[in-house]
């Protein structure tokens, strides 16, 4: 029997999966101080609610264990603000194994097990022992009992069943059919009037709801690579916009090296700029440096500022991490007159009160203590810090820096802190990157973060899929209309260079921005390669929710929709419903995400491509809908790129009939408006 990590054989690993929640109490593992742990959550429950939280947690276990587990869980709730059930954390190594190592009756279910374990891989996850993948609160599950029960269900499931997931809790396996999703996931689907940040804290502490972020609770996170491509495209096009032929090396400054934000320095290198990213957490900065995602670590601004000037002067592409507070960095850059060309921020400001943002003037540990013990004072410190940060950014933009919001709620939270971030008409002083770059150039045409994972775990499979994807895009480029040629050129270059840039962390995964035509043709090429045996295992398809169709987010994905519907969530809900009966292997719908609880609804999917005719049919039906649903909505909002794109699609697809808007002359509106 093949040996597993931690001296566990494959047979033992499979037995551990099949048993689910152990009948006997496992030993309590020691607290691992070397792992990056989630901050303590604030004490928000009343005494009666704490009793309810304990009752909710203990329902996973038989009565004879309650007397021993109750005080243990009570201590976790007191010490961490949550009940994680650390005792039940598995002792096998957590990573995406080759698909055939998982005990299963359904290959689709085995693929989902692989993706879940990848989300919790310590190389990938931000707080792996708290089951949080990224963003400070993006959870796969609420506790380890849920993880164990889900893995057991997946090991038993057939292709005639569907597992129903309620915010990390497996409601159960239900009779279904082969074309139905194997798993349906909902996260944070609370009643709208109970969707404030404190409502999340309360419901999560009770163990009844969770923040799934985007790809965390959808089992589709692939490490920082998942965002590096979009960040590269954003930085590349922002630099083109700002430099406009200037013979200088662009300097890009931002913050955050945790989950998604960890992609920034790698993207800066690929885009060919000098990048400086601040990170307050030394463990996060060190991890990115060890993974090769950032070139240099700096702890002193006195040493960093000259290093920045030297790199720009030498025109040397390099990524630097400042291990410290980004406000100190911004203020020093402004004080010393450093010419910054591009600026942004990727602190998790969707989660400002629970570890997403650390205010200037406090150490990391002081912040963690204050957010738990004195949340009102912590809120004041965050607001004061944001005001200082915006003041420094404003000084630099007055000298020519192009600053953009990276969809993390920076502008929104800065406005709530009463920073100088608004214009006279009440609009934000700076654009969202979707408004200026990703929306009009990519989303409106259906280009978005298509991704795949080679379930064999074999790097040779990834190399082959890279080559197949490049061939598809080159063929599409040969006949492409002029308005999408640049997008295809950038993506062809990306996929050809992907292997050289060492983007893999965890599973053998890749991401690529492609439109509807490209995604379907790439997926069909993978399916044929599996069928012919050229690929050694199936391929899992997916995407980030950060796409044309899956997310309704007025301050990010739909921020370039101007007909008033940017606050409506019909698109995301329709997307998931449509994917579920068109062949997705699993679907998910979440409240929350990168801009905050109550600020966005986003839907995702996963699809297993196994070389079958069923898979080919699902690819044609589902991927077509998954993209064109969003293009149609954007076309109805009068976005010109989407109107052009959907007209072309209707010419290619006779069965497609989309309601198109009639455009009104401004003079007609002006004349009628005079009657108001």
């Amino acid at each position: 029997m093949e040996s597993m990590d931690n001296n566990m054989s494959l047979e033992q690993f499979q037995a551990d999966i099949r048993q689910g929640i152990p009948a006997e109490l496992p030993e309590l593992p020691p607290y691992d101080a070397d792992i990056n742990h989630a901050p303590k959550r604030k004490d928000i429950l009343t005494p009666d609610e704490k009793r309810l939280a304990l009752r909710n947690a203990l329902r996973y276990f038989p009565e004879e264990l309650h007397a021993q587990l109750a005080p243990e869980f009570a201590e976790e709730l007191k010490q961490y603000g949550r009940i994680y059930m650390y005792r039940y954390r598995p002792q096998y190594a957590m990573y995406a194994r080759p698909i055939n190592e998982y005990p299963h009756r359904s290959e689709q279910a085995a693929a989902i097990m692989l993706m879940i374990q990848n989300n919790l891989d310590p190389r990938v996850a931000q707080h792996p022992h708290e089951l949080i993948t990224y963003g400070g609160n993006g959870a796969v599950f609420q506790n380890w009992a849920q993880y164990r029960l889900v893995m057991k269900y997946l090991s038993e499931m057939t292709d005639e069943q569907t597992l129903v997931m309620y915010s990390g809790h497996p409601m159960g396996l239900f009779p279904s059919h082969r074309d139905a999703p194997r798993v349906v996931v909902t996260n944070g689907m609370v009643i709208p009037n109970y969707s404030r940040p404190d409502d999340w804290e309360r419901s999560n502490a009770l163990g009844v709801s969770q923040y799934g972020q985007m790809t965390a609770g959808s089992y589709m996170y692939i490490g920082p690579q998942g965002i590096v491509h979009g960040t590269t495209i954003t930085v590349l096009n922002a630099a083109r916009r700002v430099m406009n032929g200037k013979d200088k090396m662009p300097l890009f400054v931002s913050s955050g090296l945790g989950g998604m934000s960890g992609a920034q320095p790698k993207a800066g290198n690929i885009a060919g700029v000098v990048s400086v990213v601040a990170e307050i957490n030394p463990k996060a900065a060190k991890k990115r440096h060890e993974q090769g995602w950032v070139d240099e670590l700096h702890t002193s601004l006195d040493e960093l500022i000259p290093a920045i000037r030297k790199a720009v002067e030498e025109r040397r592409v390099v990524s630097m991490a400042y291990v410290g507070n980004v406000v100190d960095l911004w203020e020093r850059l402004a004080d010393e007159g450093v010419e910054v060309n591009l600026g942004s921020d990727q602190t998790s400001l969707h989660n400002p009160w629970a570890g997403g943002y650390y205010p200037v003037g406090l150490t990391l540990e002081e912040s963690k203590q204050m957010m738990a013990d004195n949340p009102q004072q912590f809120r004041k410190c965050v607001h004061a810090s944001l005001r200082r940060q915006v003041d420094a950014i404003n000084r630099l933009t007055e000298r020519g820096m192009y600053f953009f919001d990276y969809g993390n709620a920076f502008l929104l939270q800065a406005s709530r802190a009463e920073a100088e971030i608004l214009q006279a008409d009440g609009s934000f002083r700076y654009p969202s990157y979707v408004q200026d770059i990703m929306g009009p150039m990519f989303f409106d045409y259906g280009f978005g973060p298509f991704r795949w994972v080679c379930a064999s775990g074999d790097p040779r499979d990834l190399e082959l899929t890279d080559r197949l994807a490049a061939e598809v895009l080159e063929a599409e480029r040969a006949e492409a209309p002029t308005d999408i040629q640049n997008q295809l050129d950038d993506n062809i270059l990306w996929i050809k260079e992907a292997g050289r840039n060492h983007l893999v962390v965890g599973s053998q995964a890749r991401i690529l921005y492609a439109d509807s035509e490209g995604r379907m043709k790439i997926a069909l090429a993978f399916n044929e390669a599996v069928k012919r045996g050229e690929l050694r295992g199936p391929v899992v398809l997916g995407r980030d929710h950060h796409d044309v169709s899956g997310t309704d987010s007025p301050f990010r994905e739909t921020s370039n929709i101007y007909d008033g519907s940017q606050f409506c969530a019909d698109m995301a809900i329709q997307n998931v419903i449509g994917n579920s009966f068109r062949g997705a292997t699993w679907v998910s719908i979440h409240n929350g995400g990168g801009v905050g609880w109550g600020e966005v609804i986003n839907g995702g999917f996963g699809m297993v491509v196994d070389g079958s005719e069923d898979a080919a049919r699902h690819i044609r039906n589902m991927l077509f809908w998954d993209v064109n649903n969003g293009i149609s909505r954007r076309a109805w909002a009068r976005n010109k790129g989407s109107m052009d794109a959907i007209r072309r699609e209707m010419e290619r697809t006779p069965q497609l009939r989309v309601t198109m808007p009639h455009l009104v002359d401004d003079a007609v509106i002006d004349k009628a408006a005079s009657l108001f």
Side-chain angles (χ1 to χ4, degrees), residues 71-353:
E72 184 177 308
F73 291 169
E75 182 61 28
E76 286 189 10
L77 186 60
K78 177 182 177 181
Q79 188 169 349
Y80 308 114
R82 297 291 187 272
I83 299 173
Y84 296 115
M85 306 180 187
Y86 287 122
R87 179 183 292 275
Y88 287 89
R89 182 170 59 83
Q91 294 309 293
Y92 49 74
M94 190 69 69
Y95 65 97
R97 294 165 170 79
I99 191 170
N100 58 10
E101 292 190 5
Y102 291 95
H104 64 275
R105 300 171 66 193
S106 161
E107 189 176 59
Q108 293 181 354
I112 298 169
M113 298 165 81
L114 178 159
M115 298 300 293
I116 287 172
Q117 291 203 315
N118 188 65
N119 268 21
L120 296 172
D121 184 333
R123 297 170 297 175
V124 173
Q126 184 181 20
H127 306 307
H129 288 187
E130 288 75 42
L131 302 112
I132 291 172
T133 302
Y134 64 89
N137 54 9
V140 188
F141 304 104
Q142 297 180 64
N143 57 60
W144 285 105
Q146 291 177 346
Y147 166 85
R148 284 185 171 274
L149 194 51
V150 166
M151 297 296 279
K152 173 180 171 63
Y153 279 142
L154 289 171
S155 73
E156 297 169 346
M157 140 187 302
T158 72
D159 287 340
E160 303 289 336
Q161 291 173 298
T162 293
L163 176 61
V164 177
M165 296 294 303
Y166 279 36
S167 276
H169 169 68
M171 188 59 67
L173 283 174
F174 290 81
S176 186
H177 57 85
R178 294 185 65 86
D179 280 342
R182 297 283 69 78
V183 181
V184 176
V185 179
T186 55
N187 281 304
M189 288 289 106
V190 298
I191 304 303
N193 276 352
Y194 301 88
S195 199
R196 294 175 295 272
D198 273 358
D199 294 320
W200 166 71
E201 293 274 7
R202 183 173 292 103
S203 62
N204 195 217
L206 284 171
V208 297
S209 192
Q210 73 173 9
Y211 200 118
Q213 268 281 353
M214 293 182 130
T215 51
S218 296
Y219 324 142
M220 191 46 71
Y221 191 60
I222 58 170
Q225 180 186 179
I227 195 66
V228 71
H229 183 28
T231 307
T232 299
I233 288 174
T234 301
V235 173
L236 190 63
N237 283 287
R240 288 167 177 166
R241 177 191 185 98
V242 172
M243 304 311 289
N244 196 24
K246 295 178 185 176
D247 188 27
K248 295 181 68 176
M249 170 64 76
L251 172 61
F252 170 54
V253 176
S254 186
S255 61
L257 287 173
M260 293 294 212
S261 57
Q264 292 179 106
K266 174 70 80 171
N269 283 1
I270 297 172
V273 304
V274 174
S275 62
V276 183
V277 181
E279 172 54 59
I280 192 70
N281 188 337
K283 289 181 180 178
K286 182 182 178 183
K287 182 165 78 169
R288 294 303 177 216
H289 185 251
E290 290 173 347
Q291 291 173 340
W293 284 66
V294 63
D295 298 323
E296 300 176 5
L297 295 182
H298 298 266
T299 57
S300 165
L301 287 171
D302 290 337
E303 182 265 335
L304 173 62
I305 299 299
I308 294 171
R309 294 186 188 276
K310 189 171 186 290
V312 171
E313 183 180 342
E314 293 175 350
R315 304 173 64 87
R316 177 167 54 93
V317 175
V318 63
S319 56
M320 305 177 186
Y322 170 55
V323 186
N325 196 287
V326 69
V327 181
D328 290 325
L329 174 61
W330 280 121
E331 290 180 339
R332 188 69 173 269
L333 292 168
D335 290 345
E336 297 209 10
V338 176
E339 183 182 352
V340 182
N341 307 104
L342 306 172
S344 191
D345 183 278
Q346 274 204 51
T347 46
S348 297
L349 272 161
H350 66 277
N351 178 32
W353 324 122

Side-chain angles (χ1 to χ4, degrees), residues 372-387:
D373 297 342
N374 193 347
Q376 293 306 314
Q377 181 61 32
F378 185 73
R379 184 182 291 259
K380 291 178 181 178
C381 290
V382 168
H383 279 174
S385 183
L386 283 168
R387 289 193 292 271

